[in-house]
Amino acid sequence: MQRIFSGIQPTGVPHLGNYLGAVRNWVALQQNHDCLYCVVDLHAITADHDHKTLAAQTRDLAAALIACGIDPDRHVLFNQSAVHAHVRLGWIFTCVARMGWLNRMTQFKDKAGKDRENVSTGLFTYPNLMAADILAYHATRVPVGDDQRQHLELANDIAQKFNHDFEVEFFPAIEALIPPTAARVMSLRDGSKKMSKSDTSDQSRINLTDDADTISAKIRRAKTDPEPLPSEVEGLEGRPEARNLVGIYAALDDTDHAGVLARFGGQGFGTFKSALADLLVAKLSPIAAETTRLLADPGHVDAILRRGAERAAAIANPIVDEAERIVGFLKP
Ligand code: AMP
Ligand code: TRP
């Protein structure tokens, strides 16, 4: 059975983009894969973070993932800092990856912006750690949203260079699993920006913890244009906000853009938005309720993570021990 690995950062509340771009797929893949899902707290400190709330945010996110349908009994759910293999292999990969490769990473350019001299060095080497997350388990399939495509290409480059430099066939090739619809959910306020936990406007995203009234209000206020919805997919060209809302509906209703337009084409946004809000509430409110129920017993969530970390370490430690031998470390 192929091994799946994926991660999500505990910076802020998970949102609809995380759910449709990644987590929903994580849940589905559990049926026929061995899966490891990781709350990547090491990655969370590459940018300014609140040290007073990081631990709670890590627990909250783990609870939300379980509420979405991640099964911590049959699969492995843990937080990254609890398994030291990530850092050990991450360091080796930091010495394998080339400056030129990392310099090309668009997410670094976006996140660093004009402040390049002042961001942490961890933000720059972030993709090396991400490659280590996956390869420490010899995982071969990685379900992510479209924004992580370039990082996974880099992980493949690192694996290949390691194998080549040390004359081994040790690390496998990695395949990105990116969903066909809603691989990139956009901001509700600006169809050219992706929906993000770090957007200062809460109106730009649907959080998995939002209640029904909040969801409805956010969708009602979502930016659109004055035209009715087109009947054909081509009519979404040049209408990023309309395309985004249609894509969200399609993903939630397990159809595609054409399927949604067959039903709503020619109608104004009023009708469509209210149907979309109803669909979102139907799909998301059970998740919010289950998250709240789980967090009533934080000790239980922590115990799940602790056990997950033990199981993860049991897989990763022998692989990273071997990587260290291959690199040439004396392991007395
Ligand atoms: P992050 O919140 O950056 O840790 O992302 C966790 C997962 O959600 C990754 O697989 C991302 O690719 C995915 N993701 C984040 N934002 C979006 C978005 N706006 N649309 C689709 N997928 C997303
Ligand atoms: N970089 C990913 C993101 O921001 C999170 C992540 C960290 C990840 N390690 C990973 C995703 C390993 C997949 C596999 O979304």
Side-chain angles (χ1 to χ4, degrees):
M1 223 193 290
Q2 297 210 57
R3 188 171 281 154
I4 297 267
F5 185 98
S6 200
I8 179 169
Q9 297 197 53
T11 39
V13 181
H15 54 71
L16 186 65
N18 297 132
Y19 183 64
L20 295 179
V23 177
R24 215 167 59 126
N25 215 4
W26 299 8
V27 173
L29 287 161
Q30 294 180 124
Q31 291 217 3
N32 46 3
H33 292 82
D34 284 329
C35 304
L36 293 122
Y37 295 126
C38 184
V39 180
V40 293
D41 48 6
L42 297 173
H43 278 109
I45 68 166
T46 57
D48 288 343
H49 72 285
D50 182 352
H51 64 281
K52 298 202 174 91
T53 57
L54 181 61
Q57 287 191 301
T58 301
R59 181 187 302 114
D60 291 356
L61 181 53
L65 293 175
I66 299 168
C68 287
I70 300 300
D71 178 348
D73 294 323
R74 291 184 43 228
H75 300 275
V76 180
L77 176 67
F78 67 107
N79 60 316
Q80 192 185 23
S81 64
V83 179
H84 299 159
H86 294 247
V87 176
R88 291 164 59 203
L89 189 59
W91 175 250
I92 293 176
F93 284 175
T94 291
C95 301
V96 172
R98 305 289 95 180
M99 288 294 289
W101 299 359
L102 291 174
N103 269 327
R104 284 196 285 276
M105 292 297 114
T106 54
Q107 184 167 301
F108 175 75
K109 289 182 206 168
D110 289 349
K111 285 198 179 173
K114 293 195 188 72
D115 203 27
R116 264 193 171 218
E117 295 296 309
N118 268 317
V119 294
S120 79
T121 49
L123 189 70
F124 186 66
T125 59
Y126 175 116
N128 301 334
L129 181 61
M130 176 164 165
D133 295 340
I134 301 160
L135 290 165
Y137 300 90
H138 278 179
T140 51
R141 313 190 85 192
V142 184
V144 285
D146 184 65
D147 60 341
Q148 297 302 310
R149 195 187 290 273
Q150 194 187 31
H151 286 158
L152 294 183
E153 285 165 11
L154 182 92
N156 272 321
D157 290 342
I158 292 176
Q160 265 181 33
K161 183 165 163 56
F162 180 99
N163 289 347
H164 177 268
D165 287 357
F166 304 116
E167 300 171 290
V168 286
E169 274 305 321
F170 187 63
F171 287 119
I174 299 168
E175 182 194 353
L177 304 178
I178 296 173
T181 40
R184 189 176 281 263
V185 177
M186 308 311 278
S187 156
L188 299 179
R189 309 300 305 163
D190 176 352
S192 69
K193 271 175 40 189
K194 74 172 179 182
M195 185 177 286
S196 156
K197 296 183 194 123
S198 54
D199 196 313
T200 47
S201 163
D202 193 58
Q203 295 298 317
S204 70
R205 64 184 161 258
I206 304 282
N207 302 308
L208 295 191
T209 48
D210 284 345
D211 62 24
D213 289 346
T214 310
I215 292 175
S216 300
K218 284 179 177 175
I219 293 296
R220 215 178 315 117
R221 281 188 223 122
K223 187 175 166 201
T224 46
D225 55 47
E227 303 296 318
L229 281 165
S231 300
E232 308 289 334
V233 177
E234 295 73 50
L236 292 171
E237 211 63 48
R239 299 178 67 186
E241 285 84 13
R243 168 180 288 281
N244 188 40
L245 296 183
V246 170
I248 291 171
Y249 195 104
L252 287 170
D253 205 32
D254 289 317
T255 173
D256 54 13
H257 290 78
V260 177
L261 294 180
R263 188 158 150 211
F264 292 99
Q267 303 191 40
F269 277 100
T271 322
F272 175 64
K273 279 181 162 181
S274 103
L276 176 60
D278 289 348
L279 184 60
L280 278 162
V281 170
K283 298 279 179 182
L284 300 187
S285 11
I287 298 176
E290 180 61 6
T291 307
T292 307
R293 192 189 69 77
L294 286 161
L295 287 172
D297 186 357
H300 178 64
V301 179
D302 290 1
I304 289 173
L305 289 173
R306 211 157 37 237
R307 191 167 48 91
E310 282 165 14
R311 290 164 64 202
I315 302 170
N317 284 341
I319 294 175
V320 176
D321 285 348
E322 185 58 22
E324 289 184 342
R325 271 185 218 105
I326 291 170
V327 168
F329 294 156
L330 175 65
K331 295 183 69 69

